[in-house]
Amino acid sequence: MHDQDRRSPSAGESGEHLAPVSYLPWVGSSDPRARSTAEDDVAAASDATGDEPEETGAERDERIDRLVVNRLRRSSLSVAEVRAVLVEHGLDDGEVEDWLERYERLGYLDDARLAEQVVHMQAVRRGRGSSAVITELTRRGIDGEVAHSAVAAIDHDAEVGNAVAVAERRARQLGGLDRAVAERRLTAFLMRRGYPSDVVREAVASALPRRPS
């Protein structure tokens, strides 16, 4: 396989900037007239035989590459997610590794960068705790060491601040409850959000301050 210069795609819907993406060089001519002529030839052959022409290796590569590229344009993918797409579409182990190596080398796939994006999205924008972020990274097939390294970058004070903000919003719905009941429910809620126990205690104490006796 030979490298070609690539063009930069637009950012994905989530606002995260992806590496430049275009179709792989082995998938046919860039000349639209040549492509049109080839398509006419295929159509003519189909009409003559009455059957759909068998897909060539180059046509298969183009189809799969278009699928992967379209998904990368919509959102970032992990190496594991792209591997699953390639396997699903019939590439053997050697072909899969060749395609993955190329996508990584050209900067289209980067699990460390993706892990940082997931941490920001889950922790900062969605108010989830570190254990919930680890679960999401694992679900997306991010290597454990890479995942824990990304989550370790979450500052403790920042995580407490996120938890307090989440707890205060939730506490507004618990105003009519006995304090002990409200504490239990708020604690359980924050634990489900993936916050560690020490962060939960600080957040609950802040969101449900004790009334003076």
Side-chain angles (χ1 to χ4, degrees):
M1 294 183 283
H2 300 285
D3 293 343
Q4 276 187 346
D5 294 335
R6 299 305 178 110
R7 295 174 296 173
S8 298
S10 59
E13 294 177 357
S14 65
E16 298 163 353
H17 292 282
L18 299 179
V21 175
S22 62
Y23 301 121
L24 295 178
W26 61 72
V27 297
S29 171
S30 60
D31 186 340
R33 292 171 299 177
R35 186 177 295 275
S36 176
T37 300
E39 290 171 350
D40 290 343
D41 290 343
V42 171
S46 178
D47 292 340
T49 62
D51 297 321
E52 289 295 327
E54 184 177 350
E55 185 178 47
T56 67
E59 289 169 341
R60 181 206 63 170
D61 289 345
E62 180 175 12
R63 172 176 56 80
I64 297 172
D65 185 53
R66 284 181 181 275
L67 175 64
V68 173
V69 166
N70 287 337
R71 292 190 183 184
L72 286 168
R73 282 174 171 164
R74 291 196 298 270
S75 63
S76 298
L77 298 175
S78 69
V79 172
E81 288 168 334
V82 173
R83 176 181 281 109
V85 173
L86 298 176
V87 170
E88 178 184 353
H89 286 80
L91 273 67
D92 63 34
D93 291 345
E95 290 174 313
V96 167
E97 294 308 315
D98 284 346
W99 282 50
L100 290 175
E101 186 276 335
R102 184 176 182 79
Y103 281 129
E104 288 183 292
R105 177 161 47 85
L106 294 174
Y108 303 160
L109 293 176
D110 186 335
D111 277 1
R113 182 182 62 204
L114 174 60
E116 292 174 358
Q117 294 171 353
V118 171
V119 167
H120 177 78
M121 176 64 71
Q122 295 290 319
V124 178
R125 298 185 60 181
R126 296 185 178 175
R128 302 197 176 217
S130 51
S131 66
V133 177
I134 286 288
T135 298
E136 175 64 11
L137 291 169
T138 301
R139 183 188 71 79
R140 298 195 62 177
I142 304 294
D143 175 76
E145 184 176 344
V146 173
H148 282 87
S149 177
V151 170
I154 302 175
D155 179 79
H156 174 78
D157 292 340
E159 185 165 31
V160 171
N162 291 339
V164 168
V166 172
E168 288 176 344
R169 290 195 296 270
R170 184 68 172 179
R172 297 188 193 109
Q173 304 173 30
L174 306 175
L177 299 176
D178 176 79
R179 179 182 174 82
V181 174
E183 283 185 354
R184 287 198 301 272
R185 293 192 179 181
L186 187 55
T187 296
F189 175 77
L190 292 173
M191 295 293 285
R192 289 195 299 273
R193 300 285 292 186
Y195 289 103
S197 57
D198 60 327
V199 171
V200 169
R201 285 193 296 271
E202 291 187 56
V204 170
S206 177
L208 298 174
R210 292 187 176 278
R211 300 184 180 90
S213 54

